[in-house]
Amino acid sequence: MADVNSKRAPQFLQKCIKPEDNGGDAQPKEEIIEEQSLPVITQSYPQTVQEEISMVFNTYNMAANLGPASRRKREKGANHDGTSTSLYVDRRKSKVWNYYTKLGDAYVECNVCKKQLSFHNSTTTMREHLVRKHSIRDTLLSQLKDDQASESDCMAQENMIKRSRQMTPENYLYHAASCSEPRTDVILELVLEMIFRDLHPLSVVKDKGFGLLIGYLEPNFTLPSPIQLSSMLWHRYNVVKQHLERYLQTAQSIVICVEFWVSQPHQTYLTITANFIDGEWRRARCILETQPVHETKGAGDLGEKLFSILTEFGLSNKSIFCVMHDSLQNTVMNSQPLKRAYGWTSLCCAAHTLHLCIKAGLEVEQVQEALTAARGIVSYFQQDAKATCSLNSKLEAINKTKLKLVMDVGSRWITTIEMCESLLDLKWAIMSLLEEHPKGTLAVQNLADHQWKLLQDLVPVMRTIKIATSFLREEQNISISSLMPCIHGIVTAIGQQLEESSDVIKMVVGNIRSELMQRWSISEDEKVLESPAITASFLDPRFKEMRFLSPNLRSELHKRVKNMLSEVFNHQSPPSTQFWVPNSDYKAEVGEAGVQLSAHKDRGPSGQSQSMYDILLGKDPTESMPEIHQQLENYIVEPLCKRSTNPLDWWKTNEHRFPAVARLGRQYLAIPATVVLPDQAFAANESTLEHRRAVLTPENLDQILFLHQNFDFLESMRNNNEMRGRNLHAQY
């Protein structure tokens, strides 16, 4: 049995560690499966890395799509010629045997607790043991009886057959191999996928509850050890990493994002992510590596780490367009060493910069006093059970039980506005309860009237900024191209709220506006044009008019983009290819005899008569303009797109019209506005990803996070490419 299974096991499992063979224990004679009944696949398994990668991504897809009844039916089914089509045929009458392994003729062993019981050709003792020790009763045992395949399972089988008919011969081999894998191997791979998809530590296989669940669902399956899973995890990591290396080679330019985060044992890590736009104008975000951070190291060490990781993936430092960070450690991240040593421009995460701007605005003394008192009230009602009960009773009386008090978190400014809004919504109930319970006024200090008014005036200002974050969280606004229009909108909108505001609110708004203008260099004309965010906004067909810039700055921006295109054009064009451009050597000499034209260099393609017309009409701009500059002019006069348009979709459709400008667009639109996804960057609460990765052990943290981020993404890219290839093949 073991020999047959080893022949049929896929290559990537043979390289790893073999699962324990459960077939060595003695079984009742009627349960022995003859080796001749096992189907043997005669095709050779793939030997190249590319084939192995394809196998990994296709592993057990068909098995996973089957319903429970269909899987049981498939395992117990037989061909018309009488040969078995399954790996295991259950001929035992009682379902109690699903929980036991027979040891000789007189003993059995419980698969759940491994206790040995005597056996006298009766399952009564075995059944009583399950009920008494494991609470597995007859009702549960009866559920193990085979059902006929449900209608949904039949539909799944029919769809599976249709998909198999549409498969290419190459992929069909992999699907056929995966479907015929031993059930033990399928479960083993699914346990591994559960670990990196849901960010579980490897020790989850040692948890008692998980063991009981697997023991109930699959009594004959032996859970792998963490060491075995670690070996499988490393192999899966290496295969996917090789696939990612080849995918990164197709990137025109890459933006590196460096995220600093802290685990529960207070160990700081940095996660390095590559962002780019591929040839199909799809936004790619792939984790390269996660490493611990040493506090004593500086930006030079970070640059060395980045360079080392790029080299590991076969990338040069010239392929990096810029590096974005969240500045959680200012001593570690400094733009000057990176610029000097590697030529990388350093950008700060928009979410972190916005947090610093708002933090500066809320540092006004009167605001801090009001927020401190507000936190005291929220803390009192959250910690005092009697006060909480009284508040809930009042809310139930008016059918507003959904209203809850929220405590803010210092690192998430959005929670501050939520705390203020919740207090204002429950103001009447809070004041009433504090007056009714004299002990409450002793335990917590109520807000004064002017403080309630201050919170009420502060909320509209904060809400305006919150609307901006909602805009940046939309899928079409992930790029940094949406940032500068949004920041200018914030500055203008909160500035309009100053007219009827109190002095305290004016100080708050003034601080926020000055921080925004300073950190994004809005008031400095020369500096603002150097920002990649400005160029990205111009290359976004929704914002290319750049209405937030003055006419002079717009004209200067057009010149800068034209110079960029010229550099790209000169870099790409062969030396023999030149465009004719008139120069200062063409002079018009006016004498007493009339007008005489002379050229000290070669004349233009239209000859001397063309130059005569130039005196009257001026030079023809299309004659002296390179094609790439003409593309730019055509792009500038192109109608604006709707704000809901995804700029990547627009460029995918119009790339053939402006190929040179599209090349710049692919480079600048790849820059994200935030280091992490906007939903995580602007979230009020900690995400599931942040919570679960904080408890992972350092030994396998890098591999788990790598597979968690990249596995599904690369698989979807591969599926899209295959679908596109099939569509092209169908057209021809």
Side-chain angles (χ1 to χ4, degrees):
M1 176 71 71
D3 294 338
V4 175
N5 287 345
S6 63
K7 291 179 182 178
R8 303 174 61 251
Q11 184 179 3
F12 71 90
L13 282 179
Q14 291 179 9
K15 289 182 180 178
C16 187
I17 183 168
K18 295 182 179 180
E20 296 181 10
D21 189 2
N22 293 333
D25 295 335
Q27 299 290 337
K29 294 182 180 180
E30 66 273 17
E31 302 166 20
I32 297 178
I33 305 173
E34 298 180 358
E35 292 185 359
Q36 289 79 356
S37 66
L38 291 172
V40 179
I41 296 179
T42 59
Q43 295 94 329
S44 60
Y45 281 89
Q47 300 297 325
T48 65
V49 173
Q50 184 175 6
E51 292 173 331
E52 193 168 295
I53 289 169
S54 182
M55 173 181 287
V56 169
F57 285 118
N58 283 288
T59 302
Y60 312 127
N61 286 343
M62 190 175 291
N65 290 331
L66 283 175
S70 299
R71 286 198 297 269
R72 289 194 297 268
K73 185 175 181 180
R74 180 168 60 89
E75 291 163 5
K76 297 183 179 182
N79 290 334
H80 295 291
D81 58 1
T83 59
S84 173
T85 62
S86 65
L87 294 173
Y88 178 73
V89 180
D90 189 359
R91 298 172 183 169
R92 291 169 294 206
K93 300 299 182 180
S94 175
K95 294 303 175 182
V96 174
W97 283 105
N98 284 295
Y99 295 90
Y100 288 90
T101 301
K102 194 167 184 181
L103 306 176
D105 295 328
Y107 295 96
V108 295
E109 183 182 80
C110 176
N111 293 334
V112 180
C113 64
K114 303 302 179 183
K115 183 176 181 180
Q116 295 183 3
L117 305 175
S118 59
F119 176 67
H120 303 288
N121 295 325
S122 173
T123 60
T124 303
T125 304
M126 299 158 59
R127 186 183 299 272
E128 290 177 354
H129 172 77
L130 291 176
V131 174
R132 185 175 63 255
K133 294 295 184 180
H134 306 299
S135 300
I136 300 177
R137 302 184 180 276
D138 292 346
T139 55
L140 295 177
L141 294 173
S142 63
Q143 294 176 9
L144 295 174
K145 294 182 178 179
D146 293 334
D147 305 327
Q148 293 183 350
S150 63
E151 183 179 353
S152 60
D153 287 341
C154 293
M155 293 286 292
Q157 283 184 318
E158 291 177 3
N159 293 334
M160 214 166 34
I161 294 172
K162 292 179 181 178
R163 287 197 299 270
S164 65
R165 292 173 180 170
Q166 297 172 355
M167 290 180 188
T168 61
E170 181 182 4
N171 287 336
Y172 184 81
L173 171 63
Y174 300 146
H175 278 275
S178 65
C179 290
S180 59
E181 285 304 315
R183 184 177 178 85
T184 300
D185 293 347
V186 176
I187 300 175
L188 196 63
E189 286 295 320
L190 291 177
V191 170
L192 178 64
E193 288 198 16
M194 180 200 72
I195 286 173
F196 69 75
R197 288 182 185 277
D198 300 333
L199 298 178
H200 290 297
L202 298 185
S203 59
V204 69
V205 296
K206 300 176 67 176
D207 293 344
K208 184 176 180 180
F210 185 74
L212 290 174
L213 175 64
I214 295 297
Y216 173 74
L217 297 176
E218 197 68 26
N220 294 325
F221 178 73
T222 301
L223 281 171
S225 66
I227 297 177
Q228 181 180 358
L229 280 176
S230 178
S231 178
M232 295 178 61
L233 183 71
W234 267 98
H235 182 75
R236 179 72 67 92
Y237 165 79
N238 288 325
V239 171
V240 177
K241 184 178 180 181
Q242 292 176 18
H243 193 83
L244 178 60
E245 288 177 15
R246 289 197 294 273
Y247 186 48
L248 290 174
Q249 299 301 321
T250 66
Q252 174 185 313
S253 65
I254 297 175
V255 178
I256 295 295
C257 290
V258 181
E259 178 198 3
F260 294 92
W261 56 278
V262 181
S263 64
Q264 284 191 0
H266 303 290
Q267 168 64 52
T268 302
Y269 289 90
L270 64 87
T271 296
I272 300 166
T273 309
N275 298 262
F276 62 94
I277 297 173
D278 67 8
E280 295 298 317
W281 289 94
R282 297 172 297 195
R283 185 176 300 279
R285 182 178 180 272
C286 308
I287 286 182
L288 300 183
E289 193 167 320
T290 300
Q291 295 183 357
V293 175
H294 303 287
E295 304 289 341
T296 57
K297 302 297 180 67
D301 179 70
L302 178 62
E304 293 175 3
K305 283 185 177 181
L306 293 178
F307 183 77
S308 174
I309 293 172
L310 294 176
T311 304
E312 187 178 345
F313 280 88
L315 302 172
S316 65
N317 60 335
K318 293 183 179 180
S319 63
I320 304 305
F321 182 49
C322 64
V323 177
M324 177 171 285
H325 57 91
D326 53 15
S327 286
L328 288 180
Q329 298 205 355
N330 295 320
T331 58
V332 173
M333 197 72 207
N334 191 335
S335 60
Q336 294 304 321
L338 294 178
K339 185 71 174 178
R340 248 187 339 262
Y342 306 99
W344 300 335
T345 302
S346 181
L347 301 176
C348 186
C349 172
H352 181 72
T353 305
L354 190 60
H355 173 77
L356 295 178
C357 296
I358 296 172
K359 182 180 178 182
L362 298 180
E363 285 178 351
V364 177
E365 182 179 357
Q366 294 90 331
V367 175
Q368 285 296 311
E369 292 176 354
L371 292 177
T372 301
R375 295 185 187 104
I377 293 176
V378 174
S379 178
Y380 169 72
F381 280 99
Q382 288 183 344
Q383 297 178 6
D384 190 287
K386 187 176 180 180
T388 302
C389 184
S390 301
L391 180 61
N392 291 336
S393 299
K394 283 188 174 294
L395 295 178
E396 289 176 1
I398 59 173
N399 198 21
K400 289 187 176 181
T401 55
K402 293 184 179 181
L403 296 177
K404 302 292 181 182
L405 288 175
V406 177
M407 176 65 78
D408 70 338
V409 181
S411 59
R412 301 176 186 269
W413 64 268
I414 290 184
T415 59
T416 301
I417 181 177
E418 291 183 351
M419 180 182 70
C420 295
E421 289 176 333
S422 65
L423 279 170
L424 292 171
D425 290 338
L426 299 175
K427 176 183 176 181
W428 60 272
I430 291 172
M431 296 186 69
S432 174
L433 288 174
L434 292 179
E435 291 176 359
E436 293 175 3
H437 302 279
K439 292 183 180 180
T441 57
L442 297 177
V444 61
Q445 182 181 0
N446 192 7
L447 288 166
D449 292 340
H450 71 277
Q451 290 178 326
W452 283 108
K453 181 66 167 60
L454 179 59
L455 295 184
Q456 188 174 356
D457 295 339
L458 183 64
V459 165
V461 176
M462 302 285 286
R463 192 175 288 159
T464 301
I465 305 175
K466 186 178 180 181
I467 292 174
T469 63
S470 299
F471 175 76
L472 294 175
R473 292 173 72 167
E474 294 183 358
E475 182 181 359
Q476 67 270 19
N477 301 322
I478 293 178
S479 170
I480 201 173
S481 63
S482 303
L483 181 60
M484 294 308 292
C486 198
I487 297 300
H488 278 269
I490 294 175
V491 172
T492 303
I494 63 176
Q496 294 173 353
Q497 299 175 357
L498 290 175
E499 299 177 359
E500 300 179 357
S501 301
S502 63
D503 293 338
V504 177
I505 296 298
K506 288 181 179 179
M507 291 177 62
V508 172
V509 173
N511 290 347
I512 295 176
R513 293 181 81 235
S514 63
E515 286 287 326
L516 290 172
M517 298 177 71
Q518 177 186 351
R519 293 183 180 275
W520 274 289
S521 305
I522 294 177
S523 58
E524 304 177 39
D525 293 351
E526 188 64 26
K527 266 191 156 184
V528 72
L529 292 181
E530 294 177 356
S531 170
I534 290 292
T535 307
S537 296
F538 173 72
L539 295 170
D540 190 323
R542 303 171 298 169
F543 309 119
K544 62 187 179 68
E545 285 190 354
M546 309 297 285
R547 297 175 182 175
F548 52 87
L549 295 182
S550 64
N552 292 336
L553 285 180
R554 272 181 246 161
S555 177
E556 184 63 29
L557 176 62
H558 293 170
K559 292 179 182 178
R560 285 176 176 265
V561 176
K562 187 179 294 185
N563 292 335
M564 293 179 191
L565 290 173
S566 298
E567 292 177 4
V568 174
F569 172 78
N570 293 332
H571 179 71
Q572 287 184 328
S573 300
S576 60
T577 304
Q578 295 181 356
F579 286 88
W580 174 77
V581 181
N583 51 50
S584 58
D585 290 322
Y586 285 83
K587 298 180 180 179
E589 298 178 356
V590 181
E592 294 180 358
V595 178
Q596 181 181 1
L597 298 175
S598 63
H600 299 284
K601 288 190 177 181
D602 294 339
R603 294 175 179 174
S606 300
Q608 186 175 350
S609 59
Q610 183 68 36
S611 299
M612 292 176 61
Y613 296 144
D614 289 347
I615 296 176
L616 299 176
L617 304 176
K619 294 180 180 179
D620 188 347
T622 60
E623 293 273 345
S624 61
M625 183 183 297
E627 182 185 354
I628 54 174
H629 293 175
Q630 186 65 49
Q631 291 179 25
L632 178 62
E633 295 297 329
N634 294 339
Y635 170 72
I636 291 174
V637 299
E638 187 76 9
L640 286 177
C641 296
K642 291 183 178 180
R643 195 179 299 156
S644 59
T645 302
N646 191 319
L648 301 188
D649 295 339
W650 188 91
W651 274 115
K652 183 177 181 179
T653 305
N654 295 276
E655 181 180 12
H656 67 284
R657 299 173 57 200
F658 320 104
V661 185
R663 181 178 176 85
L664 277 183
R666 182 179 274 111
Q667 188 175 18
Y668 279 87
L669 294 178
I671 307 175
T674 55
V675 167
V676 298
L677 293 176
D679 283 339
Q680 179 182 339
F682 297 114
N685 301 313
E686 190 179 59
S687 65
T688 304
L689 168 66
E690 294 173 293
H691 175 72
R692 291 189 175 182
R693 73 181 178 182
V695 298
L696 294 176
T697 56
E699 294 79 14
N700 304 105
L701 183 143
D702 180 29
Q703 294 77 38
I704 292 176
L705 291 180
F706 180 90
L707 292 172
H708 175 79
Q709 172 64 31
N710 299 332
F711 187 83
D712 283 341
F713 171 75
L714 291 176
E715 186 178 20
S716 66
M717 293 296 101
R718 183 185 60 82
N719 292 336
N720 291 338
N721 292 336
E722 290 180 356
M723 183 178 299
R724 188 173 67 255
R726 286 196 297 267
N727 293 337
L728 291 175
H729 180 73
Q731 292 177 3
Y732 292 100

